[in-house]
Amino acid sequence: MDESASRREVEVVCERNKVDLYVHTKMISQVRSLKTRRIIATCHINIVKATGRHYSSHAPRARLNLPTDYSTTPLLHHTSRSALSNSELVAALKQSHGGHDTTTAAATTTFTTSRQNLFTAINSALAHALRSDSRTLVFGEDVSFGGVFRCSMNLASEFGPDRVFNTPLSEQGIVGFAIGAALQGMRPIAEIQFADYVFPAFDQIVNEAAKVRYRSGTNAQHAQQEDGGGDGVHCGGLVIRMPAGGVGHGALYHTQSPESLFTHVPGMRVVVPRSPTQAKGLLLAAVECPDPVIFMEPKILYRAAVEHVPQEAYTLPLDKADVIKPGEDVTVVSYGTPLYTCQAAIDAVEKDLKCSVELIDLRTIYPWDRQTVMDSVRKTGRCIVVHESMVNAGVGAEVAATVQEGCFLRLAAPVQRVAGWSTHTGLLYEKFILPDVARVYDSIKRILDY
Amino acid sequence: MAMNRTLFRGSVVTNHVVARITSRPNLCTRCQQRWSSVSQRPGSDRVQFPGAVNSKFTTGLKFQRASEDDAMPTYRILDQEGRIVDGAQQPPDITDSEAIRLYKDMVNVSVMDVIMFDAQRQGRVSFYMVSAGEEGIAVGSASALSLSDPIFAQYRETGLFQYRGFTHDDFMAQLFATKDDPGLGRNMPVHYGSKKLNMHTISSPLATQIPHAAGAAYAVKMQNMQNPMDEQRVVACYFGEGAASEGDFHAALNIAATRSCPVLFVCRNNGFAISTPTLEQYRGDGIASRGVGYGIDTIRVDGNDILAVREVTRQARELALKDGGRPVLIEAMSYRVSHHSTSDDSFAYRAKVEVEDWKRRDNPITRLRKWMEAKGIWDDEKERNLRADARKSVLTAYRKAENEKKPPLSSLMSDVYAEPTEEQKEQMAKLRSHLEKYPDEYDVSEFEGGMEGLTLEKK
């Protein structure tokens, strides 16, 4: 492609970019020249700076429904010290590096952090997985040039086209291929470009990946090795990554959060990280996990959520919820992006009502940490579950039913669910459909008034 | 792995690289990536669109017609009388003892099929599917594979398991779901599997195994590259012509071709998918014609000619290993002599006389028998002995399995995850207290360990 053609293309891309981020990312994938891609990327950054987030504007007099300020939210580590004073993280780092005898103080001086957003944290986790185990493969649609969300940037050049590659455009093919590779001893990390497009692979996930170990019986246990992989017949090591959740303008097919469809499937693990630090630790845990894992990445956080992330490799547990903020009066349970909404609502409500709210991040949506949630509700007596996906038969239904069964005598109010309405996310209406700060705020207020 | 990283670094190709390699064919054999210049050369008689790089221009407006007249030919060595069709060709490349082994395996499968079909009719097992008419495809192709080649089957390939080393005890353990069943009594009958024999466990959803085979073949390709001194392996995948209508077939052949996976796709085209005849399944030239569309080397073979199936599979295996790997499609033609399964009465949708015709006139067992008799390595007495031995062996295993304990009750929930979850442990405790509360409502005595087997502790 000659230079003037490149420039024309860039102009077209940038013009479209003002309207739709996805058109932009799709265009990048079709551009062959590296130089042109760089120009487009630069233009993209300039445009975002110039125009701001025009699609996430708020009502002029809004007090609650303000855009999340990721640079100040307490959910992210804004300093290296903050990141390394997180005891779970330090324990994870020490465990991953076998340094059991070092003290916490010594550890904080040993480990280093760097500021990363969610996609770079994913990228560094993928790079670590590829580097540390030659059985790891990374593939999907448009993965090779770096991915439409840049998560696989530079991986193909570092690890070669045999281990990081594009597949034909077929989700059932991608997941079926990944299952086969896992059955034959590889550690495939497959990407579905958007969670909205995972449904063609539903059969492969539900009937195959989830059931392989069970149906293989003793063939799955064959000569099990210590690392949990073994050479038995199962899908250990299989990770299916997918960007999920709302971004303000994704409409029907770039917004969905289908996690509850997978939480109904024994055999699968479903994980949703809330931050770059979590994304890295949970993704590396998913890669090591002897069970197949659905890993849903909140795509609105890919660039927005920036924090200090340890540079070393580490894993976070796949069966533990994270109590982000302790409290006495209400338990708010959520995961992924809505945690930022919850945090803002809690800040406002605690100021207005002088109450104390406990915020819990489930992290692993199935199998989930029922004990931590029930312990909290037994203490507070009130529980609210918040998620983006529709309320009907959503994760909130499972949490609410479990809490009702396990904490009935301690409940001072009915469990509330603040979630997407039971509709599709029409383009113009997202901010009215997904739970926002005002709705969480109101829910906390109402549960305290009950 | 040794790969051509220096030349094709990353996914981005500069014009410089394109210019350097367009003098050669447009495919890089190592990575099977197609490089092409975006621009059309002046005066060229061919299209240079990136999607079709070697298409000649024409001014004749002519649709390519799917015509029955040029159906892909069907390769065979023996005719229906067991005679070598083309005398000028080399005699079949098989020793007498191997031919006898193939024959015995086919007979063993067919004897077991008859007994187990009746056993299901008597309610002794819940379900069964026979291979009648298709024993040659499974046994013949299995004999041309290496024992270390992983296999993915659909369900009508009992001969694969027979050839690989399943004993009648192994079959009966699965069919009767005894404590010796590797599937721990979780799967319906005929859903065999064996890690030791490199046979992946059969699952009921049709065609899901086809993309698995592509992925497994990719894994095998990487392992072949990593261990070049080891025996180079391929993956074999079996499915019926009905399953080939599933999206997974399309997904699998396409990805196997683009990733150059050493996999043999073996389609058993037996004319029926339960009640649906092929005319309602597809309108093209069978399954074979599709292979070419995916850029896959393809052959059609007479599935009733076990020697032809064997030879085709042998050569397909060699082809699949060429230049680092590639898929090959084999369409083996046959006729489903039997009902679809024990839950099906096929005379509701096809004439009995048609079935009888196929049974009598042409099937893989009689064809090979005629060839062996003409060669003087088989006779009526050997035949009588083989059938009596097979019957006796099946019935002995049958009676033993019938009286065997079932797997422990823990098998109902173990292996869903590598380790049981808290929720599962809690549910197992609930089930235990329920069974203790209502002991007369359940019979746990046939399960190994009875109530003691109801635990999720590590064995």
Side-chain angles (χ1 to χ4, degrees), chain B residues 252-271:
Chain B
L253 267 71
N254 198 34
I255 199 168
T258 56
R259 295 310 303 169
S260 308
C261 304
V263 52
L264 306 185
F265 294 116
V266 184
C267 178
R268 296 176 292 97
N269 190 335
N270 62 18

Side-chain angles (χ1 to χ4, degrees), chain A residues 54-116:
Chain A
H54 67 281
Y55 47 81
S56 61
S57 58
H58 55 277
R61 290 160 58 196
R63 180 177 74 94
L64 298 168
N65 282 342
L66 302 170
T68 304
D69 186 351
Y70 291 100
S71 63
T72 57
T73 173
L75 265 60
L76 296 171
H77 296 297
H78 301 293
T79 62
S80 183
R81 179 190 292 272
S82 151
L84 292 174
S85 62
N86 178 331
S87 59
E88 187 187 37
L89 202 50
V90 174
L93 283 164
K94 281 200 286 186
Q95 202 172 15
S96 298
H97 296 269
H100 296 287
D101 53 346
T102 48
T103 64
T104 307
T108 49
T109 56
T110 312
F111 300 116
T112 53
T113 66
S114 63
R115 272 168 58 81
Q116 291 192 322

Side-chain angles (χ1 to χ4, degrees), chain A residues 390-413:
Chain A
M390 296 74 73
V391 69
N392 48 296
V395 171
E398 177 67 18
V399 174
T402 305
V403 164
Q404 179 270 131
E405 252 182 347
C407 316
F408 185 70
L409 292 176
R410 305 303 299 265
L411 283 177

Side-chain angles (χ1 to χ4, degrees), chain B residues 95-113:
Chain B
T95 63
D96 291 350
S97 62
E98 179 68 1
I100 290 169
R101 179 184 173 189
L102 300 189
Y103 185 73
K104 284 182 172 174
D105 279 346
M106 286 198 289
V107 169
N108 264 295
V109 168
S110 88
V111 167
M112 182 174 78
D113 275 354

Side-chain angles (χ1 to χ4, degrees), chain B residues 59-303:
Chain B
T59 52
L61 197 163
K62 179 173 164 278
F63 291 96
Q64 302 290 321
R65 304 292 299 271
S67 165
E68 283 177 36
D69 295 342
D70 20 62
M72 197 179 286
T74 302
Y75 176 77
R76 67 173 179 173
I77 294 175
L78 301 180
D79 66 12
Q80 289 183 9
E81 298 308 314
R83 291 179 299 236
I84 292 174
V85 182
D86 183 355
Q89 276 197 344
Q90 291 281 320
D93 179 18
I94 187 168
T95 63
D96 291 350
S97 62
E98 179 68 1
I100 290 169
R101 179 184 173 189
L102 300 189
Y103 185 73
K104 284 182 172 174
D105 279 346
M106 286 198 289
V107 169
N108 264 295
V109 168
S110 88
V111 167
M112 182 174 78
D113 275 354
V114 171
I115 293 172
M116 293 318 294
F117 193 87
D118 288 346
Q120 194 283 332
R121 286 288 188 252
Q122 296 161 17
R124 305 294 182 92
V125 292
S126 57
F127 180 77
Y128 196 73
M129 301 180 103
V130 308
S131 304
E134 296 170 64
E135 300 93 339
I137 300 174
V139 174
S141 58
S143 75
L145 297 170
S146 160
L147 280 178
S148 57
D149 293 339
I151 290 182
F152 291 83
Q154 180 167 302
Y155 50 59
R156 205 182 298 288
E157 298 93 356
T158 304
L160 296 175
F161 293 88
Q162 174 77 37
Y163 188 89
R164 284 246 160 151
F166 253 52
T167 64
H168 287 136
D169 280 338
D170 292 330
F171 284 120
M172 294 304 145
Q174 201 283 329
L175 295 168
F176 284 94
T178 74
K179 65 175 178 51
D180 299 319
D181 168 23
L184 297 171
R186 291 162 180 164
N187 308 306
M188 282 175 78
V190 193
H191 293 50
Y192 309 114
S194 169
K195 167 68 195 168
K196 196 177 71 186
L197 302 176
N198 293 308
M199 306 283 303
H200 286 279
T201 303
I202 289 168
S203 73
S204 305
L206 285 181
T208 47
Q209 80 279 14
I210 317 180
H212 297 177
Y218 192 73
V220 161
K221 173 193 172 104
M222 306 272 284
Q223 290 153 5
N224 284 347
M225 282 197 285
Q226 279 164 350
N227 311 301
M229 304 315 287
D230 289 1
E231 182 193 25
Q232 300 290 287
R233 296 180 299 155
V234 303
V235 169
C237 178
Y238 294 77
F239 51 90
E241 91 286 348
S245 295
E246 292 281 1
D248 276 330
F249 167 87
H250 159 68
L253 267 71
N254 198 34
I255 199 168
T258 56
R259 295 310 303 169
S260 308
C261 304
V263 52
L264 306 185
F265 294 116
V266 184
C267 178
R268 296 176 292 97
N269 190 335
N270 62 18
F272 291 92
I274 307 188
S275 74
T276 307
T278 52
L279 265 182
E280 292 167 28
Q281 199 64 249
Y282 53 74
R283 278 300 162 97
D285 178 21
I287 308 305
S289 65
R290 301 181 200 167
V292 183
Y294 290 110
I296 292 177
D297 296 338
T298 302
I299 191 166
R300 178 174 279 156
V301 62
D302 182 346

